[in-house]
């Protein structure tokens, strides 16, 4: 019989208890041998949770446990471990639509908030790869396709209202994590707040200017309101380059603990923002000018490929599906003239997602430079002058995206603007 990892009380796992618990699960077959032969390592490098790799003679498993507090902050910042149940629920919900783009899920224990999943031993975190100026040709296109599939199939375009509402209700319980996004992405960066930090004093003037820019603050607040109100699809909620694991020919999405029903553009913007932040960080990461220029060109191609894969896949699903969703009901657009009108509307819908993507990308870039959680791409630049120069340029682009959204109609408008955004 399998025992919960903590029988009486919920405690963080250690190697011995993890071994004993796994020994009672069918998933142990993936490991082979006896529990005594298994090697257990805690490898979590994220902000929130414990992550163990367990290796046996036949293979490996990954076990992720949510702690009742934020790992990087310690018990002084409590956080509900029920986020693990939402992570599991997200994987369960999108699995039928995304194939092998997520790790294979083996088991969830609601008492100890533990997920047992496939170990991605051959894969690296995309952010780590990009920081070394490595290229993963499939990654951005695969993530675009992934967002299209996961979001289309969980939206009102594909689901009848009863199923959609049940799913909305299931994920509405994840409000503690939504609270974190509201505070850290849409609120704190635009005001003085204890958890904020930036490269100081080098960026003091830019941060002050940002917090005094009413047009930018209104644009960010409008996106914050959209985040709260637009239950467009089930979104991952934290789809940055640290939530993507890659090998040369595979791309996997991990860590959807922030999942809830929100705007599709939020997932798109999160990924795009992290490609952009990496682009700006390359000034500090790659000293060789030629190598840096080549990597930047490749990155902008990835941005294009990301958007094009998303929009092609999303439109293809919408056009190709015998839609049973209640939004844009197919039965009211049956004659050829109406079908053409519906297709124009589909394109308009995707154009609106493009605008949302850029707006949310801007918010995500800003919060990584002036808010609580920064990105390793920029943080690893030791020289503060150099780091601040990268951050200043990234901030300038983000402010432009928020202040002048009409200048950005197509992905090439963004790519043209990237290089010019030097404050
Ligand atoms: P957190 O929510 O704490 O950020 P993540 O889900 O991002 O946790 O996992 C933290 C780290 O653990 C990842 O950056 C990755 O290095 C590793 N990891 C997560 N899931 C797997 C997996 N299925 N296989 C191998 N390594 C993994
Ligand atoms: Mg996480």
């Amino acid at each position: 019989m399998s025992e919960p990892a903590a029988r009486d009380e919920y405690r963080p796992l250690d190697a011995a208890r993890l071994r004993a618990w796994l020994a009672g699960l069918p998933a142990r077959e993936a490991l082979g041998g006896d529990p005594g032969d298994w090697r257990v390592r805690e490898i979590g490098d994220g902000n929130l949770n414990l992550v163990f790799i367990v290796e046996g003679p036949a293979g490996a498993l990954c076990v992720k446990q949510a702690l009742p507090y934020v790992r990087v902050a310690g018990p002084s910042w409590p956080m509900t471990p029920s986020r693990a149940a939402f992570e599991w629920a997200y994987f369960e919900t999108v699995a039928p639509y995304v194939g092998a783009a997520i790790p294979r899920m083996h088991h969830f224990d609601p008492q100890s908030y533990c997920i047992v999943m496939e170990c991605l031993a051959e894969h690296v975190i995309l952010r780590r790869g990009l920081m070394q100026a490595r290229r993963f040709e499939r990654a951005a296109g695969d993530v675009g396709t992934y967002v299209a599939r996961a979001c289309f199939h969980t939206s009102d375009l594909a689901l009848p209202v009863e199923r959609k509402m049940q799913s909305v209700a299931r994920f509405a319980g994840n409000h503690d994590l939504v609270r974190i996004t509201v505070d850290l992405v849409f609120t704190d960066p635009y005001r003085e707040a204890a958890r904020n930090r930036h490269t100081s004093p080098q960026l003091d003037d830019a941060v002050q200017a940002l917090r005094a820019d009413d047009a930018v603050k209104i644009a960010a607040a409008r996106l914050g309101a959209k985040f709260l109100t637009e239950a467009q699809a089930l979104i991952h909620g934290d789809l940055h380059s640290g939530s993507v694991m890659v090998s040369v020919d595979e791309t996997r999405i991990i860590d959807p603990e922030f999942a809830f029903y929100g705007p599709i553009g939020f997932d798109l913007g999160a990924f795009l923002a992290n490609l952009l932040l990496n682009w700006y960080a390359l000034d500090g990461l790659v000293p060789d000018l030629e190598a840096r220029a080549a990597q930047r060109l490749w990155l902008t191609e990835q941005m294009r490929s990301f958007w094009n894969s998303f929009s092609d896949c999303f439109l293809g699903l919408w056009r190709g599906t015998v839609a049973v969703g209640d939004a844009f009901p197919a039965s009211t657009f049956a004659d050829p003239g109406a079908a053409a009108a519906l297709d124009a509307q589909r394109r308009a819908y995707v154009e609106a997602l493009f605008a949302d993507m850029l707006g949310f990308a801007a918010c995500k870039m800003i919060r990584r430079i002036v808010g609580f959680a920064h990105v390793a791409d920029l943080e690893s630049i030791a020289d503060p002058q150099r780091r601040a120069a990268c951050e200043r340029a990234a901030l300038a682009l983000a402010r432009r995206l928020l202040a002048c959204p009409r200048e950005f109609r197509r992905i090439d408008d963004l790519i043209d603007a990237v290089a010019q955004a030097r404050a």
Side-chain angles (χ1 to χ4, degrees), residues 34 72 93 138 142 153 155 175 289 390 416:
D34 292 320
V72 285
T93 307
R138 297 190 53 105
D142 284 348
H153 288 289
S155 76
H175 45 74
L289 281 179
C390 300
D416 292 345

Side-chain angles (χ1 to χ4, degrees), residues 82-95 105 108 115 167 170-171 234 256 259:
S82 70
R83 61 189 187 270
F86 295 104
E87 175 158 353
W88 177 258
Y90 174 91
F91 279 135
E92 202 174 46
T93 307
V94 302
M105 292 293 127
F108 175 58
I115 295 173
S167 199
R170 185 176 190 191
F171 287 93
L234 178 60

Side-chain angles (χ1 to χ4, degrees), residues 48-49 64 238 255 257-258:
L48 298 180
N49 306 290
K64 177 170 175 179
D238 198 22
D255 197 15
E257 64 195 330
F258 283 80

Side-chain angles (χ1 to χ4, degrees), residues 12-84:
L13 279 174
D14 57 31
R17 284 170 45 246
L18 177 54
R19 223 179 242 127
W21 174 62
L22 271 179
L25 296 180
R28 68 171 289 174
E29 285 190 14
L31 301 171
D34 292 320
D37 306 329
W38 301 342
R39 178 169 173 237
V40 179
R41 286 176 295 143
E42 205 280 307
I43 53 121
D45 60 357
N47 289 335
L48 298 180
N49 306 290
L50 292 179
V51 178
F52 296 89
I53 301 293
V54 186
E55 291 163 307
L61 289 170
C62 174
V63 179
K64 177 170 175 179
Q65 183 182 38
L67 299 172
Y69 49 82
V70 176
R71 177 189 170 131
V72 285
S76 65
W77 185 348
M79 186 186 297
T80 173
S82 70
R83 61 189 187 270

Side-chain angles (χ1 to χ4, degrees), residues 113-376:
Y113 305 100
C114 279
I115 295 173
V116 183
M117 65 184 127
E118 174 187 0
C119 175
L120 303 172
E122 308 298 317
H123 301 66
V124 297
I125 290 285
L126 177 60
R127 184 187 309 288
R128 298 280 151 200
L130 293 180
M131 285 172 60
Q132 297 161 3
R134 291 176 66 189
R135 298 183 187 179
F136 298 91
E137 302 298 341
R138 297 190 53 105
D142 284 348
V143 177
T145 303
Y146 172 85
V147 176
R149 290 190 177 141
C151 289
F152 177 83
H153 288 289
T154 56
S155 76
D156 292 289
L157 302 172
L159 294 179
V161 65
E162 294 79 4
R163 281 188 57 203
K164 156 93 186 306
M165 289 293 198
Q166 275 166 10
S167 199
V168 170
R170 185 176 190 191
F171 287 93
N174 205 15
H175 45 74
D176 285 359
L177 282 269
V178 174
R179 157 62 60 204
I180 292 173
T181 304
V182 168
D183 288 347
L184 296 190
V185 178
F186 294 109
T187 308
D188 286 356
Y190 303 95
R191 65 177 185 189
E192 303 270 337
R195 289 184 297 208
N196 285 340
R197 69 192 167 84
H198 62 263
T199 305
S200 182
Q202 290 85 352
L203 276 191
D204 288 356
D205 60 331
V207 175
Q208 215 173 14
L210 170 78
R211 294 190 181 135
D213 187 336
D214 289 337
V216 161
K217 286 201 290 187
I218 288 289
R222 286 171 66 121
L223 287 154
K226 186 185 265 282
F227 175 78
L228 288 170
T229 55
E230 204 160 305
Q232 209 169 24
L234 178 60
I235 62 170
H236 176 287
D238 198 22
L239 193 55
H240 54 81
S241 52
S243 294
V244 178
M245 294 189 74
V246 290
S247 66
V248 171
D249 45 25
E250 277 189 357
T251 308
R252 307 290 186 94
I253 306 300
I254 62 165
D255 197 15
E257 64 195 330
F258 283 80
F260 87 119
Y261 265 77
I264 297 168
F266 190 77
D267 276 357
L268 294 171
F271 188 71
L272 180 65
N274 281 268
L275 294 184
L276 287 164
L277 288 171
N278 182 263
W279 193 99
Y280 287 103
L282 286 174
D283 259 338
L285 296 174
V286 178
D288 181 79
L289 281 179
E290 236 172 81
R292 188 194 305 161
Q295 182 68 7
R296 284 188 155 162
L297 188 62
W298 177 80
L299 261 181
T300 54
E301 282 159 12
Q302 294 300 296
M303 293 174 203
R304 189 180 287 113
S305 148
F306 170 60
W307 170 252
N308 288 341
S309 307
F310 168 79
S311 56
D312 289 353
C313 181
F314 195 89
L315 282 169
L317 288 168
W318 194 350
R319 288 177 180 139
T321 311
V322 183
V324 294
D326 283 298
F328 305 100
S331 57
T332 62
F333 297 97
D335 68 79
L342 176 59
D343 208 56
Q345 168 55 35
R346 290 186 184 117
R347 290 194 300 274
Y349 187 100
V350 168
E351 276 167 30
L353 294 181
F354 179 78
D356 290 354
M357 169 177 78
L358 296 193
F360 286 122
C363 296
K364 291 286 215 169
M365 291 170 77
I366 289 170
R367 75 91 154 212
R368 295 295 193 183
I369 296 169
V370 312
F372 169 68
H374 290 215
V375 289

